[in-house]
């Protein structure tokens, strides 16, 4: 198609201009949709970030005297636990009101 | 050894003896273009190379560029001196061995012929687009997608100039040396209205390579002259009230959106008009390299070293096509006139659609940003901003005008794709 009449050129020109509009309108639709998607995503993320943080779990209330570590010398933890339970029972005191510093096996 | 004969031989071998008046005029034009580039700073990065290429190609006997080789490259069949097809004993046309044969160019060509291979293969315009993409921020367009309509409207000049070129065929025989424009010529002339140099070169190389010099020079000259061409029409088509409109701040665009956009555009536009895939593909690849944040080195190369190297090669080889015997014709003058008409009509198309938007949005859009839809990034946006500030000194339209400006790049690529599809690029 090298030699065309003015009428044919007019039709091609109109068609071309319409194609440019059509292409860019479709691209606009794609851009708008993309924008909406990303704006919605950003809002969701922002909403999550802005939401009040869950209150930290309440710290377990410990009875005074139960804090601290106990030192065990040649004693199994299971044995130590049993010994502490016996002592508490003998003293008629709850275990969490007693403080054990260390338990040591006495060798003969 | 006869000194006289030696001197005569030296003279005969020199370019001075082979100089034609066309060469002389083109050397003068080359110097004028250099003056415009260096002193007036009209698109100096491109015009310097074009002007110097023009000078180099019009130095007789230098053998840097051979128009004949490229004419032969484009001729499918052999012809005689009068342009008649040569026939074999069976009465069939004889195939030209040099047709689309780069081997012939490499074997017989000069330095500028080698440079020109990059134009002929459309490598340079695409690589320029890669660099342009790496320098472009699509954020303003993404935040205001309606800008795309302004970019579409501003392609009016492309199709009006195409129509005008065909209409000018009525002058065939009236203007000396003018043999009329074919549809392919008209399509290449029309794309000047897109105000996009690489796109103009891309289309012209495929449709009307013999017009490349005139079209490239017209396209780049008018892009440089935007600050002079556009303002009178901005004032003509808008009222002072319209020009005073302050536009609202556009929304922030996320990084993810900027990354997805070039990918989506490439797929969408290349599916719509496959012939525009090289241009759009490179533009968007460059942009993707910029936006990913993990390819900074590549983005830096694309927007600096690569685009600079290609600009040198492209501008010089475009200038090389300004061979006097081809360039100094009535046709070139008509192309220059049609080019400026295309530019003006594109500006008016963008402005008028801006005026329509102004009314539809209840005065929220400043119609001046429509003029930036003619591509020519970022010059057209700067002009819109400047004119807006003249009307209202506290008005800052630059970011708003960048939307239609980059939309114009996409719009002109789509227009180019359409013309290539119709006329068989």
């Amino acid at each position: 198609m090298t030699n065309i009449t003015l009428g044919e050129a007019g039709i091609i020109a109109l068609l071309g201009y319409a194609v440019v509009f059509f292409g860019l309108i479709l691209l606009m639709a794609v851009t708008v949709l993309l924008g909406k998607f990303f704006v919605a995503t950003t809002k969701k993320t922002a909403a999550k970030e802005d939401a009040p943080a869950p209150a930290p779990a309440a710290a377990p209330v410990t009875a005074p005297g139960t804090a601290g570590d106990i030192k065990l010398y040649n004693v199994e933890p299971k044995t130590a636990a049993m010994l502490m339970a016996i002592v508490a029972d003998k003293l008629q005191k709850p275990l969490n009101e007693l403080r054990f510093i260390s338990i040591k096996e006495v060798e003969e | 050894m006869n000194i006289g004969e030696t001197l005569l031989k030296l003279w005969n071998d020199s370019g001075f003896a082979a100089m034609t008046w066309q060469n002389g005029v083109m050397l003068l034009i080359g110097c004028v273009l250099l003056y415009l580039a260096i002193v007036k700073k009209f698109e100096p990065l491109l015009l310097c190379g074009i002007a110097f290429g023009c000078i180099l190609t019009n130095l007789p006997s230098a053998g840097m560029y051979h128009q004949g080789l490229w004419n032969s490259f484009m001729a499918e069949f052999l012809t005689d001196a009068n342009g008649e097809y040569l026939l074999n004993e069976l009465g069939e046309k004889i195939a030209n061995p040099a047709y689309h044969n780069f081997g012939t160019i490499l074997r017989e060509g000069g330095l500028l012929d080698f440079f020109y291979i990059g134009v002929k293969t459309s490598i340079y315009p695409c690589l320029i687009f890669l660099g342009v993409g790496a320098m472009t921020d699509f954020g303003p367009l993404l935040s205001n997608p309606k800008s795309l309509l302004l970019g579409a409207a501003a392609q009016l000049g492309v199709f009006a100039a195409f129509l005008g070129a065909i209409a000018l065929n009525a002058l065939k025989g009236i203007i000396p040396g003018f043999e009329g424009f074919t549809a392919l010529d008209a399509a290449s002339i029309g794309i000047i209205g897109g105000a996009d140099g690489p796109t103009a070169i891309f289309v012209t190389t495929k449709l009307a390579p013999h017009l490349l010099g005139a079209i490239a020079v017209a396209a780049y000259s008018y892009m440089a002259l935007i600050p002079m061409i556009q303002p009178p029409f901005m004032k003509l088509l808008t009222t002072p009230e319209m020009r005073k409109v302050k536009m609202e701040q556009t929304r922030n665009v996320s990084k993810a959106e900027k990354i997805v956009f070039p990918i989506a555009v490439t797929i969408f536009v290349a599916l719509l008009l496959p012939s525009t895939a090289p241009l759009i593909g490179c533009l968007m690849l460059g942009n993707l390299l910029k936006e990913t944040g993990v390819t900074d080195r590549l983005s830096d190369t694309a927007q600096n070293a690569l685009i600079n190297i290609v600009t040198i090669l492209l501008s010089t080889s475009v200038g090389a096509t300004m061979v006097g015997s081809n360039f100094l014709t009535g046709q070139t003058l008509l192309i220059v006139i049609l080019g400026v008409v295309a530019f003006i009509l594109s500006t008016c198309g963008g402005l008028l659609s801006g005026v329509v938007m102004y009314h539809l949005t209840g005065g929220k859009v400043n119609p001046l940003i429509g003029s930036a839809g003619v591509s020519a990034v970022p010059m057209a946006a700067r002009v819109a901003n400047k004119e807006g500030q003249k009307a209202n000194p506290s008005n800052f339209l630059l970011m708003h005008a960048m939307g239609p400006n980059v939309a114009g790049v996409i719009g002109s690529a789509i227009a180019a794709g359409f013309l290539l599809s119709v006329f068989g690029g």
Side-chain angles (χ1 to χ4, degrees), chain B residues 132-180:
Chain B
V132 170
M135 288 191 273
T136 302
D137 179 9
F138 282 107
L141 176 71
L142 288 166
S143 65
N144 183 16
K146 286 193 292 285
S147 307
L148 284 159
L149 294 177
L150 298 172
Q155 305 310 313
L156 175 67
V158 173
F159 299 102
F162 164 76
L163 197 59
I166 297 294
L168 278 180
N169 284 342
L171 298 176
K172 202 159 41 173
I174 298 172
I175 295 178
F178 177 54
E179 296 173 358

Side-chain angles (χ1 to χ4, degrees), chain A residues 7-104:
Chain A
E8 288 171 330
I11 292 168
I12 290 171
L14 277 177
L15 188 64
Y17 202 35
V19 166
V20 172
F21 263 98
F22 175 71
L24 288 179
I25 285 171
L26 282 183
L27 194 56
M28 187 175 82
V30 172
T31 311
V32 168
L33 287 176
L34 267 178
K36 283 191 174 168
F37 171 76
F38 281 105
V39 167
T41 312
T42 313
K43 272 184 185 167
K44 268 187 191 171
T45 314
K48 270 185 191 171
E49 281 171 2
D50 291 347
V61 181
T62 52
T66 56
D69 294 327
I70 182 169
K71 286 182 181 169
L72 302 178
Y73 297 98
N74 296 326
V75 179
E76 291 288 324
K78 198 176 170 182
T79 310
M82 199 164 59
L83 287 172
M84 287 187 289
I86 292 167
V87 172
D89 184 54
K90 290 286 178 191
L91 295 173
Q92 293 294 306
K93 290 237 175 194
L95 188 59
N96 62 355
E97 286 185 20
L98 299 174
R99 186 167 188 189
F100 296 89
I101 305 296
S102 64
I103 299 175
K104 187 176 182 182

Side-chain angles (χ1 to χ4, degrees), chain B residues 44 51 68 101 117 161 205 213 245 255 291 341 350 395 406 411:
Chain B
N101 184 350
I117 290 173
T205 306
V245 171
K255 187 182 175 188
E291 299 297 352
V341 170
N395 209 352
V406 294

Side-chain angles (χ1 to χ4, degrees), chain B residues 384-413:
Chain B
N385 183 55
K386 196 176 167 187
E387 290 303 310
Q389 285 192 329
K390 276 184 191 169
N392 178 356
S394 65
N395 209 352
F396 292 95
L397 293 175
L398 189 64
M399 283 314 284
H400 302 286
M402 281 307 291
N405 210 187
V406 294
V409 178
I410 301 172
S412 59

